[in-house]
Amino acid sequence: MKLLYQHMLSFLLIILTIVSIIGYSEINYVSNQSYVQNYQRMEDYASSLGSLAVTDKTDGTLILNSGFLDQLQFVLHNDDLNLRVFNARGEQIYPEKKKNLHLAEDVCAILNQGQEIYIKNNNDSHTYVGNTKNAYTGILKPWMNKGKMIGAIWIGSKIKSVEQPIVMAKHNLINALVIALCVGLLLSLVFSYYSTSKIKRLSTATKKVASGNFDVQINYYGNDEIDQLAANFNQMVRTLRKSNEEIKSQEKRRDQFMADAAHEMRTPLTTINGILEGLQYNAIPEQSRSKSIALMRRETERLIRLVNENLDFEKIRNNQISLAKVNFNVQPLLQEVADELKQNVKKEKDEIKIIGPTDLPIFADQDRFRQIMMNLVQNAIQFTHQGKILIKGYRIQHATQIIVKDNGIGMNDEQMKYIFERFFKADPSRARLGIGESGLGLSIVLSLIKQHGGKISVKSKPHEGTCFTVTIFDKGYEQYITIK
């Protein structure tokens, strides 16, 4: 069943239930009131006749004669009333019947106690006053004189007369039910269509998103649950669009990496293959063979380094390495890194400077921290030409901070957004300097710093340079924070 019909059916059932409950209560109320009022009227008649039936002179004898009762019955007949009179023994004395009619003993016992008996339908109570052609409802009231019953009277009215208000109430209920159903059907159609139209828009938008359209946005103007769902849907689509853009960017960088890796591997492989062919066919002079073998070795090391960087990154990212963290003086390590990269600094005509105390303690894995600094300093050299590179170390509370700052080409906000991403290269057109060909250097730095429980932040502006700040915490104060 469609949701529209489900909503309409729900509204109609609610309206039907409410009208039925109210109608049932109203009919019960009207019914009870009709019978109560009828009993009260009959009791008033019976009491008035009882006052005529008892006098002090007759010593409790019945003075109402048949002629008076006939006249009274004639008057009451126009009001659909009927009466019967019984003596103290429960025998019917008016109207006279050929058959001796009398009240049952248990009924007489109740009447002798001065209690009235209310009869809702005389045809259902044969032991009271017997059956009549038309069903009557009324009261059986004793006449008492000095604590003794001298007679009793039954006054009743036709049930159909008493139940006229009930019949009218039922007719009104049916009319109200029909009107309520018609109005409810119309309103339920309007409200259901309003709700389901919102859901249809959501469904249509969902299909578009499923087909790859992440520019879908749903307009909403209310604040109900469906509108809140639309707002959440819009937020979800924006998140999916952002994620999709990230995925495409990652794929683009991956494709670029594969192209760069293929290029980087093809060049040394071509060189190695050419040298091997030259050696095989004695095309290389004897005096040049040592240089050729040295070149082949450098190209082989370049290939090994490219493969090792990728393998190393996978191990670091999957926490497959164990750190041997110790307290040591990091100042000599920084100097060693600067000395090792001296040739690269010279090629770029840069100037490198180390600032810091002679004794600068740090709690880290020496080999892995050397790898961190090598990548950061090499990154600074790669993007700085005829500039200055500063390596500065100092202590802060419960930690050691190392700054690597350059005045090179710098980065814009978009580049900084992806600087620590795998395969990302801020300037892929620049010539490689022997390491960092894969675009994994800063990704490895970030992963290693995370495993040290440290943090790294970067600040950069185009044409002004870049500043990396590495914080390595002391033993027992490690944390996991990455600031980009």
Side-chain angles (χ1 to χ4, degrees):
M1 182 184 296
K2 289 187 176 181
L3 187 60
L4 174 66
Y5 301 139
Q6 293 180 18
H7 283 190
M8 292 179 61
L9 181 60
S10 299
F11 286 132
L12 291 177
L13 288 176
I14 291 173
I15 293 173
L16 181 62
T17 302
I18 293 175
V19 172
S20 299
I21 293 174
I22 295 175
Y24 178 77
S25 301
E26 180 66 20
I27 290 174
N28 278 344
Y29 175 77
V30 172
S31 178
N32 291 333
Q33 286 296 106
S34 297
Y35 279 98
V36 168
Q37 291 175 2
N38 183 69
Y39 290 145
Q40 184 64 46
R41 186 167 62 113
M42 299 300 102
E43 187 173 0
D44 290 342
Y45 282 135
S47 298
S48 299
L49 291 175
S51 62
L52 295 176
V54 180
T55 62
D56 293 335
K57 295 180 180 180
T58 59
D59 194 22
T61 58
L62 185 66
I63 64 172
L64 294 177
N65 54 48
S66 298
F68 176 78
L69 292 175
D70 288 338
Q71 294 176 2
L72 179 61
Q73 177 67 71
F74 179 78
V75 173
L76 296 178
H77 181 72
N78 293 330
D79 203 15
D80 284 334
L81 297 178
N82 197 359
L83 61 86
R84 294 181 185 182
V85 179
F86 303 89
N87 60 20
R89 294 185 298 276
E91 298 171 345
Q92 181 174 318
I93 59 176
Y94 181 84
E96 295 180 357
K97 298 288 185 178
K98 295 180 180 180
K99 183 180 179 182
N100 184 22
L101 298 177
H102 59 85
L103 298 172
E105 293 183 1
D106 55 344
V107 175
C108 291
I110 295 173
L111 295 176
N112 283 324
Q113 296 177 4
Q115 298 180 9
E116 299 90 351
I117 298 176
Y118 298 97
I119 303 172
K120 192 169 185 178
N121 189 332
N122 67 302
N123 288 340
D124 292 338
S125 307
H126 306 297
T127 56
Y128 286 171
V129 295
N131 294 335
T132 54
K133 182 179 180 182
N134 295 313
Y136 281 82
T137 179
I139 184 173
L140 188 59
K141 182 176 180 62
W143 290 333
M144 307 298 291
N145 185 24
K146 296 180 181 181
K148 294 178 60 178
M149 186 182 76
I150 62 173
I153 185 172
W154 173 76
I155 299 181
S157 62
K158 292 181 180 178
I159 289 180
K160 65 179 181 180
S161 299
V162 177
E163 291 189 347
Q164 280 184 352
I166 302 173
V167 174
M168 292 179 61
K170 290 181 178 178
H171 288 164
N172 292 336
L173 173 62
I174 294 174
N175 293 334
L177 183 60
V178 172
I179 294 173
L181 288 176
C182 294
V183 175
L185 182 63
L186 179 62
L187 293 177
S188 64
L189 179 61
V190 173
F191 290 137
S192 299
Y193 179 78
Y194 175 72
S195 298
T196 54
S197 62
K198 292 183 176 181
I199 297 175
K200 284 182 178 179
R201 284 192 298 150
L202 276 170
S203 177
T204 303
T206 303
K207 291 179 180 178
K208 291 181 180 179
V209 173
S211 64
N213 183 2
F214 297 107
D215 295 324
V216 177
Q217 291 288 287
I218 300 175
N219 296 325
Y220 59 93
Y221 307 99
N223 195 29
D224 57 21
E225 286 78 1
I226 299 180
D227 292 321
Q228 292 175 4
L229 179 61
N232 294 334
F233 176 85
N234 290 342
Q235 180 61 37
M236 180 195 70
V237 173
R238 288 193 291 268
T239 303
L240 288 174
R241 181 170 62 243
K242 185 177 179 180
S243 299
N244 187 57
E245 292 172 355
E246 291 282 350
I247 292 172
K248 288 182 178 179
S249 178
Q250 289 279 2
E251 290 179 348
K252 183 178 179 180
R253 292 198 296 274
R254 182 195 62 189
D255 293 341
Q256 184 63 44
F257 162 74
M258 296 301 295
D260 290 346
H263 175 74
E264 294 295 338
M265 294 175 70
R266 182 177 59 187
T267 301
L269 286 173
T270 301
T271 302
I272 294 170
N273 186 62
I275 294 173
L276 290 175
E277 286 184 356
L279 292 173
Q280 182 180 6
Y281 296 107
N282 295 318
I284 299 175
E286 186 68 31
Q287 62 273 19
S288 300
R289 287 191 177 187
S290 59
K291 292 182 180 180
S292 298
I293 292 173
L295 176 59
M296 187 168 57
R297 181 175 180 180
R298 285 197 301 270
E299 295 299 326
T300 303
E301 290 175 348
R302 185 178 177 185
L303 286 173
I304 293 173
R305 185 169 55 250
L306 185 63
V307 173
N308 285 341
E309 275 193 346
N310 280 276
L311 294 176
D312 203 22
F313 177 77
E314 290 299 327
K315 289 181 180 179
I316 294 171
R317 189 183 66 169
N318 295 321
N319 295 322
Q320 293 178 353
I321 63 169
S322 58
L323 300 178
K325 295 167 67 176
V326 294
N327 283 303
F328 66 95
N329 183 10
V330 75
Q331 194 67 23
L333 185 146
L334 299 178
Q335 189 62 52
E336 291 173 6
V337 170
D339 293 340
E340 190 172 339
L341 296 174
K342 187 177 297 184
Q343 288 299 116
N344 294 334
V345 173
K346 186 177 179 180
K347 288 179 182 179
E348 292 293 331
K349 299 179 181 180
D350 291 332
E351 179 184 347
I352 190 166
K353 187 176 182 179
I354 300 175
I355 299 176
T358 305
D359 186 13
L360 183 59
I362 192 171
F363 182 66
D365 183 300
Q366 292 191 49
D367 293 335
R368 291 300 178 178
F369 190 74
R370 178 189 296 273
Q371 187 177 2
I372 292 171
M373 297 311 301
M374 284 290 291
N375 277 288
L376 289 177
V377 176
Q378 175 59 45
N379 186 77
I381 296 171
Q382 183 177 351
F383 297 106
T384 305
H385 181 66
Q386 295 182 350
K388 294 181 180 180
I389 298 169
L390 173 66
I391 304 174
K392 183 179 180 181
Y394 54 90
R395 287 285 298 173
I396 61 173
Q397 186 177 13
H398 305 305
T400 298
Q401 278 192 341
I402 307 294
I403 292 177
V404 178
K405 184 178 181 181
D406 65 69
N407 58 355
I409 64 174
M411 294 178 290
N412 57 33
D413 292 339
E414 185 66 21
Q415 290 172 324
M416 287 179 61
K417 183 179 178 182
Y418 301 106
I419 190 63
F420 292 107
E421 295 291 334
R422 189 182 186 187
F423 310 134
F424 179 78
K425 299 179 182 181
D427 186 8
S429 65
R430 286 179 62 88
R432 306 300 185 260
L433 298 174
I435 61 175
E437 300 95 336
S438 62
L440 294 173
L442 291 180
S443 298
I444 292 174
V445 167
L446 176 62
S447 297
L448 286 174
I449 291 175
K450 285 181 179 181
Q451 293 193 41
H452 274 82
K455 63 181 181 180
I456 182 171
S457 62
V458 58
K459 295 180 180 178
S460 184
K461 289 184 178 180
H463 312 297
E464 292 186 11
T466 303
C467 178
F468 287 92
T469 302
V470 177
T471 304
I472 302 296
F473 293 94
D474 295 341
K475 185 176 182 180
Y477 294 92
E478 295 94 336
Q479 48 187 288
Y480 181 79
I481 304 174
T482 303
I483 303 174
K484 294 185 181 181

